[in-house]
Amino acid sequence: MTDINSAKKNIESAGFLDLNINPEMDLFAEIERLKKEKNAIILAHYYQEPDIQDVADFIGDSLGLAQKAATTDADIIVFAGVHFMAETAKILNPSKKVLLPDLKAGCSLSDSAPPPLFKLFKDKHPDHLVITYINCSAGMKALSDIICTSSNAQKIVESLPASQPIIFAPDKNLGAYINKQTGRNMLLWNGACMVHEIFSLEKITKLKIRHPKAKVIAHPECEAPVLAIADYIGSTTGLLKFTEKDPATEFIVVTETGILHQMQKNNPGKTFIPAPPNNSCACNDCPHMKLNTLEKLYLCMEYELPEIIMDEQLRIAAKKPIDRMLEISARFSL
């Protein structure tokens, strides 16, 4: 069994505290105890495993999580999500301790936009304002004028003069969708989310034939041909709200499967069918999101590691475009 000192030394290579836990321990009860003792809040993304969602204090999409992180009075923020989300919480809360159960919970979309390469691209278009999707690193945020999420991207773009040239990064699919919705011609960075790019139009069409009454609901990170057959397109929270308000009883859900847990909890009489990807695996899980487990969550709260540490100059530069996003979102009551 690894001791705590060895686990701390290996945290960079492992990504988490690699310690054995008593299998008889009631992790739910222990996590509740630690929350109270340490004045800690657990923020969880909808794509986390059901156990983590059930123990979280707040569950949301990127916009909701950023808003919650900006207003919490907790001393410790435990972020059950991926690295850029915990970074965003630290950017907004420099005096608070921000923990992430597994440092290796990254993001394929964030990885698709390395800041040094993006800076070269940005420098070629000095007259363009940069709107960057929140699914990116602190380094990318620091190069941006405004951050957005899938919930507020359209409103943010529409709040700018039609004559203003815009670079949109890093998600080309979300950018193309916003271009279509707004009539803009934003310059798009060539990035994408690995989960939302693997949905199979052919398999979804066959699924629709087998479930003719089902409505197809999709996240705008999906490719255009998939979005073209959707009955509703929206952010993760938007998809959840749609299933609650719409009279349909069957939905084909074209996004990461983690959201199905909340959909089923909030709509016990309805059926939710995960859309199949075009690979041999029948799942559409984000491997990064699913690196977090209840055991890692408990350990990171018990020992307050791994912790997100950030250079102060980078934090200040990355905070400005997030503040602009929060201000515009508040203006439109998003």
Side-chain angles (χ1 to χ4, degrees):
M1 177 179 172
T2 309
D3 63 81
I4 182 60
N5 291 325
S6 298
K8 284 179 179 177
K9 285 178 186 173
N10 293 333
I11 204 164
E12 288 296 326
S13 57
F16 62 97
L17 285 172
D18 191 5
L19 289 166
N20 291 333
I21 296 176
N22 181 349
E24 295 179 5
M25 182 187 288
D26 183 342
L27 289 171
F28 288 95
E30 286 299 306
I31 288 168
E32 290 300 329
R33 173 183 66 80
L34 289 166
K35 280 198 275 188
K36 292 186 182 78
E37 284 180 9
K38 301 189 178 203
N39 187 27
I41 187 172
I42 298 175
L43 306 182
H45 194 275
Y46 284 125
Y47 297 167
Q48 293 293 286
E49 64 172 48
D51 280 350
I52 290 178
Q53 292 188 40
D54 289 344
V55 81
D57 299 290
F58 179 82
I59 310 160
D61 61 7
S62 294
L63 176 60
L65 291 166
Q67 289 168 327
K68 192 69 179 175
T71 57
T72 182
D73 58 1
D75 295 318
I76 296 176
I77 299 171
V78 187
F79 220 110
V82 292
H83 197 275
F84 78 80
M85 296 176 177
E87 266 190 344
T88 302
K90 186 64 179 179
I91 289 164
L92 295 167
N93 296 278
S95 63
K96 297 183 190 297
K97 185 172 278 192
V98 177
L99 307 175
L100 181 67
D102 193 326
L103 288 172
K104 295 197 173 177
C107 171
S108 59
L109 179 55
S110 177
D111 291 345
S112 71
L117 282 181
F118 183 76
K119 187 178 186 307
L120 293 174
F121 180 74
K122 177 186 173 181
D123 289 347
K124 290 179 181 176
H125 306 281
D127 58 332
H128 283 55
L129 186 140
V130 178
I131 298 178
T132 305
Y133 191 30
I134 199 167
N135 297 34
C136 66
S137 66
M140 273 293 288
K141 290 179 174 72
L143 292 168
S144 308
D145 295 294
I146 311 175
I147 297 301
C148 74
T149 73
S150 52
S151 297
N152 61 24
Q154 185 172 335
K155 286 285 187 189
I156 284 173
V157 171
E158 288 174 341
S159 74
L160 299 169
S163 58
Q164 173 64 57
I166 297 168
I167 292 172
F168 188 90
D171 194 293
K172 62 182 179 182
N173 294 321
L174 176 60
Y177 174 72
I178 300 300
N179 271 343
K180 188 176 178 183
Q181 294 302 109
T182 60
R184 300 286 181 124
N185 186 28
M186 298 187 295
L187 194 56
L188 307 181
W189 178 261
N190 188 29
C193 162
M194 64 186 285
V195 174
H196 290 94
E197 280 231 310
I198 63 171
F199 289 111
S200 163
L201 178 63
E202 181 187 353
K203 289 181 182 178
I204 294 168
T205 305
K206 287 177 179 175
L207 204 55
K208 181 86 170 149
I209 292 166
R210 291 208 303 275
H211 301 271
K213 293 181 180 177
K215 288 197 171 175
V216 177
I217 58 174
H219 194 283
E221 286 180 29
C222 296
E223 293 180 322
V226 170
L227 296 179
I229 64 162
D231 297 291
Y232 175 78
I233 300 164
S235 67
T236 318
T237 298
L239 299 178
L240 180 60
K241 288 180 178 174
F242 182 80
T243 64
E244 292 165 8
K245 293 176 183 174
D246 195 84
T249 57
E250 280 187 294
F251 298 89
I252 296 168
V253 183
V254 196
T255 190
E256 214 272 356
T257 54
I259 188 61
L260 269 66
H261 181 59
Q262 292 301 318
M263 287 178 173
Q264 285 161 345
K265 279 177 75 171
N266 296 1
N267 304 278
K270 297 185 178 183
T271 302
F272 300 96
I273 307 153
N278 59 7
N279 56 22
S280 55
C281 168
C283 59
N284 46 359
D285 289 349
C286 171
H288 304 289
M289 284 281 187
K290 298 304 194 275
L291 279 178
N292 295 320
T293 63
L294 207 59
E295 290 79 9
K296 290 178 186 176
L297 183 64
Y298 161 74
L299 287 167
C300 98
M301 293 183 74
E302 175 68 33
Y303 296 102
E304 299 182 17
L305 288 169
E307 182 183 357
I308 300 294
I309 306 292
M310 188 174 299
D311 173 78
E312 183 62 6
Q313 280 189 304
L314 174 61
R315 188 194 71 78
I316 291 168
K319 187 172 183 288
K320 289 176 185 174
I322 299 174
D323 286 342
R324 284 194 71 183
M325 173 188 78
L326 294 172
E327 179 263 313
I328 295 169
S329 294
R331 199 193 314 160
F332 290 107
S333 301
L334 293 171

